[in-house]
Amino acid sequence: METMSVQEVVVPMCRGLVGYTHTRLPNRFGHVTQSEVIPILDKAIERYWPFMDSDCHKNFRLTVCGTFLPKCSTGSNAIVLPCRETCFSAKRGCSQKLKQGGTKWPNRQLKCNRFRRKRQGSCLKAVPNHMAPAPLRYAYCEQNTFSACANLSLQIRTLPNMFLQSDERIIQLEMNQYEALLQSRCHDNLAFLLCGVFAPFCPNDQQPFVLPCRETCEEVEMACAEEFQRLYRGLPWPAKLQCHRYPSGSSQQACATPNDAAIA
């Protein structure tokens, strides 16, 4: 029988965003570390991440995270999974938007009938309200208020970002995940990359926003990936910071570098 272990939740999709801080592994799929969970989330669940961020339903993230990283039940070996009602409410709330986005509810991983009902015992009922994204709003070229961005030369940002996030509370919670990495000073441009990803820069033309250049991202990843693994239980470089997502400085699409004082 595998030994169960209590671990702090460090998976970026879930950390600080679901109302609990620790998980107990192995989970129902047999994953014993969070670094084993990540490839499954990336392969099977990553395409659903924008729907979590834009809030197709406040319980969608809790259902995903609670399934793969069940909450640790203090004082016992029990794990706390999402309630059946929690799962079904997310499925009802998200199915139409998922269909519009060309995908559907991940029944293979998130089959709601597998979970217990609320009346059958302890389960994850709902994400706390302050961790549920507000409805999508458009904020074009506003002052950047995120703490990590205070010293950048580019201080005007546009929301929503490329992940359809517009709720500043939720964006700040996600950016807070990287505080230990920022404190490590692994690269001078880490803050620039994080700010350009989560709160992209305001252009002076008709583009919706301008992202960091791929070359800057690659420099930061090369310097910080090993430190990230050390700090976050062996996890790979985060999906949202994968450099292929961002335009090259040699391409036709505009991008920003740390030396830019303004976006032309």
Side-chain angles (χ1 to χ4, degrees):
M1 182 176 178
E2 292 180 291
T3 302
M4 302 192 82
S5 67
V6 176
Q7 303 174 17
E8 182 181 3
V9 174
V10 292
V11 172
M13 187 184 291
C14 308
R15 186 182 189 190
L17 297 166
V18 289
Y20 62 91
T21 59
H22 287 75
T23 185
R24 192 184 295 273
L25 295 175
N27 59 22
R28 68 196 305 172
F29 306 103
H31 305 133
V32 298
T33 67
Q34 292 178 70
S35 59
E36 291 178 2
V37 171
I38 279 284
I40 304 302
L41 289 176
D42 284 350
K43 182 178 179 180
I45 302 296
E46 185 182 354
R47 67 182 180 275
Y48 300 101
W49 203 340
F51 298 95
M52 297 179 195
D53 288 338
S54 61
D55 189 27
C56 65
H57 193 278
K58 72 173 187 175
N59 287 334
F60 188 21
R61 190 189 307 270
L62 182 65
T63 300
V64 172
C65 296
T67 299
F68 286 91
L69 298 171
K71 180 181 177 181
C72 170
S73 179
T74 305
S76 77
N77 287 329
I79 58 174
V80 183
L81 293 163
C83 301
R84 186 179 300 185
E85 295 88 343
T86 304
C87 180
F88 274 120
S89 68
K91 184 175 182 178
R92 286 193 301 271
C94 292
S95 290
Q96 185 60 32
K97 287 187 178 180
L98 290 173
K99 184 178 180 180
Q100 291 171 355
T103 187
K104 57 184 180 180
W105 184 261
N107 276 315
R108 183 176 179 183
Q109 296 84 15
L110 305 178
K111 191 171 181 63
C112 297
N113 285 331
R114 293 175 180 167
F115 300 119
R116 64 172 58 177
R117 298 181 185 276
K118 291 179 182 178
R119 66 174 181 267
Q120 293 175 318
S122 179
C123 58
L124 297 171
K125 296 178 174 63
V127 72
N129 286 333
H130 73 281
M131 291 178 180
L136 190 68
R137 77 178 186 94
Y138 291 86
Y140 190 75
C141 294
E142 294 185 351
Q143 180 67 32
N144 198 330
T145 58
F146 297 112
S147 55
C149 312
N151 297 318
L152 299 183
S153 59
L154 298 174
Q155 282 295 307
I156 306 298
R157 53 92 172 136
T158 288
L159 294 174
N161 60 29
M162 67 183 296
F163 306 107
L164 299 182
Q165 293 173 294
S166 64
D167 189 328
E168 294 187 35
R169 302 165 305 132
I170 304 302
I171 294 172
Q172 185 65 69
L173 283 171
E174 194 163 342
M175 291 181 73
N176 288 345
Q177 298 177 5
Y178 300 97
E179 184 58 34
L181 193 64
L182 286 165
Q183 292 298 323
S184 76
R185 301 184 182 278
C186 57
H187 197 282
D188 289 343
N189 293 332
L190 174 60
F192 177 88
L193 176 63
L194 292 173
C195 294
V197 167
F198 288 100
F201 307 113
C202 175
N204 292 328
D205 57 23
Q206 297 303 307
Q207 297 181 76
F209 48 64
V210 173
L211 296 164
C213 292
R214 184 182 305 166
E215 291 81 359
T216 300
C217 178
E218 290 170 345
E219 290 175 7
V220 173
E221 180 180 0
M222 185 174 295
C224 296
E226 185 175 338
E227 183 67 9
F228 183 87
Q229 285 192 312
R230 187 187 71 80
L231 289 169
Y232 301 98
R233 303 187 69 93
L235 295 188
W237 190 245
K240 287 186 178 179
L241 304 185
Q242 293 290 334
C243 299
H244 70 270
R245 297 182 184 276
Y246 305 106
S248 169
S250 61
S251 69
Q252 294 297 313
Q253 184 179 349
C255 64
T257 71
N259 296 324
D260 290 330
I263 303 296

